[in-house]
Amino acid sequence: LDDASVLTQTSLASDYTTPTISVPLQSETTLRLLDIPILRDADNDAGFYMAVTRTTAGGAWPGCTVAESADGTVYENIATITSEAVTGQATTELGDWTGGNVMDHASTVTIQITGTASSYTDDQVLAGTAQAWLIGDEIVTARTATLVSAGVYTLSNLLRGQRGTEWATGTHAVGDRVVALSASTLRRGDREAGQLDVAYSFKAPTFGRSLTTTAAQSFTDTGVGLKPFSPADVEVDRDASNNATITVRRRSRLSHRFLRDGIDTPLGEADESYSVDAYTDGTYTTVAATFTFTGSSGSFTAAAQTTAGLTPGNTLYLAVHQLSAVVGRGYEKRAAA
């Protein structure tokens, strides 16, 4: 049994090698909850949008469920999502814009995203078929997307302040959230009017992961989707006694309809009514009076101006808000006349 010839043996090895297979670890899900204007008429409600993407680049991501909780303990599944959105952040600051609804050829913004960006023609931008981006709180359409490196693009030739977000054109900073607003990847979350302005907890576990081990995030839907856009124009006319008549040319959150005899602009609200703040001066700091009117025009009499401490005949500094029956005041339009 101790013979060395038994303990030492020689044999031939096979030339077959087993291939190495890399199995990616499953990624967690990053959930973005968006309290933004509605992107289509079918979403004309108090809800919000949801966008999801894998947290770890290259990780396996089969999809996720989204669950919400009113008390942070008991969760209810509200969506199943298998399409990733393109999300990221701005690595440069998008400049201020006060030029209105024309293309901004001066400003650029560099974004780092989880997918790709494309360039479009002017006709595609004007027709609304080009990609729209949420950058911070502003909705922007970019005609040109220039590749810098993998996942990094510089957007230029921008149509700014879309879907009533012109109020946000001067609010940008490095690190702004970036989301591609695509109907194929965004999902709509339902809300009733009584649920607005109430914080809920949300979780988005990747398929196969436990709800209990998934981190929660708090989100409050304020009903921005129902908030009226700022009026397109406000005119102030005075009579010989300095009674002021305020005439408003409104905008709508809903799509225009082209008819044989012209363009029909749906109201989008229960009725047409406005709330007006009259300020003491052009700094728009101190409100002297607040009043409302129904219809496209209303009055601010000389007597009411005097009661408010204003001098009839002097310049009126007004901020006009269209009213929603659900969320109240919309975005303001200022007028000095």
Side-chain angles (χ1 to χ4, degrees):
L1 293 178
D2 293 332
D3 191 331
S5 65
V6 176
L7 299 176
T8 303
Q9 304 245 354
T10 301
S11 62
L12 295 176
S14 170
D15 61 358
Y16 175 79
T17 58
T18 303
T20 300
I21 301 174
S22 297
V23 179
L25 295 176
Q26 191 178 71
S27 172
E28 294 184 354
T29 299
T30 297
L31 170 66
R32 293 179 183 261
L33 301 166
L34 309 176
D35 186 17
I36 62 174
I38 60 172
L39 304 175
R40 57 181 185 176
D41 288 0
D43 298 333
N44 186 28
D45 53 39
F48 57 94
Y49 292 104
M50 298 176 282
V52 300
T53 188
R54 71 190 70 195
T55 302
T56 305
W61 190 82
C64 71
T65 58
V66 179
E68 71 172 10
S69 171
D71 60 7
T73 302
V74 179
Y75 281 83
E76 176 185 2
N77 288 344
I78 60 171
T80 297
I81 305 177
T82 57
S83 298
E84 283 187 87
V86 175
T87 68
Q89 63 178 6
T91 59
T92 63
E93 180 178 333
L94 178 57
D96 297 353
W97 174 250
T98 58
N101 193 33
V102 296
M103 190 168 286
D104 177 3
H105 296 288
S107 302
T108 65
V109 61
T110 300
I111 60 175
Q112 185 171 13
I113 54 177
T114 57
T116 60
S118 300
S119 296
Y120 299 88
T121 65
D122 284 341
D123 288 344
Q124 289 173 313
V125 172
L126 296 176
T129 57
Q131 177 65 65
W133 298 90
L134 177 68
I135 304 177
D137 291 316
E138 182 187 356
I139 295 177
V140 175
T141 302
R143 188 187 72 185
T144 307
T146 303
L147 178 65
V148 178
S149 60
V152 180
Y153 294 84
T154 295
L155 305 182
S156 58
N157 300 312
L158 310 172
L159 204 56
R160 304 286 301 272
Q162 300 300 286
R163 300 300 301 153
T165 61
E166 64 277 354
W167 62 271
T169 57
T171 64
H172 293 286
V174 174
D176 276 350
R177 62 181 176 177
V178 174
V179 180
L181 301 178
S182 171
S184 64
T185 57
L186 295 184
R187 292 290 299 273
R188 188 74 173 166
D190 294 332
R191 273 292 176 271
E192 300 294 334
Q195 295 175 296
L196 295 178
D197 301 311
V198 178
Y200 280 74
S201 295
F202 288 83
K203 292 186 177 185
T206 301
F207 291 161
R209 288 182 176 262
S210 170
L211 185 68
T212 58
T213 60
T214 301
Q217 61 178 288
S218 179
F219 172 73
T220 301
D221 181 11
T222 66
V224 169
L226 291 177
K227 193 168 183 176
F229 296 170
S230 63
D233 189 36
V234 175
E235 294 182 1
V236 180
D237 297 307
R238 290 185 177 85
D239 62 18
S241 300
N242 286 317
N243 298 305
T245 298
I246 303 161
T247 303
V248 181
R249 186 159 63 91
R250 64 178 175 82
R251 289 196 294 168
S252 176
R253 297 175 296 104
L254 304 182
S255 301
H256 295 1
R257 294 189 290 264
F258 292 89
L259 307 177
R260 184 176 64 181
D261 298 326
I263 300 175
D264 174 49
T265 304
L267 178 60
E269 313 300 336
D271 58 32
E272 184 177 5
S273 56
Y274 299 90
S275 175
V276 182
D277 288 334
Y279 288 84
T280 56
D281 56 46
T283 64
Y284 290 88
T285 302
T286 304
V287 176
T290 298
F291 56 95
T292 61
F293 60 86
T294 300
S296 60
S297 64
S299 63
F300 189 26
T301 65
Q305 295 171 47
T306 300
T307 300
L310 304 175
T311 301
N314 285 358
T315 300
L316 288 174
Y317 299 97
L318 307 176
V320 181
H321 315 252
Q322 189 172 359
L323 292 175
S324 161
V326 179
V327 298
R329 284 181 161 195
Y331 295 104
E332 70 176 22
K333 176 71 174 182
R334 292 180 176 180

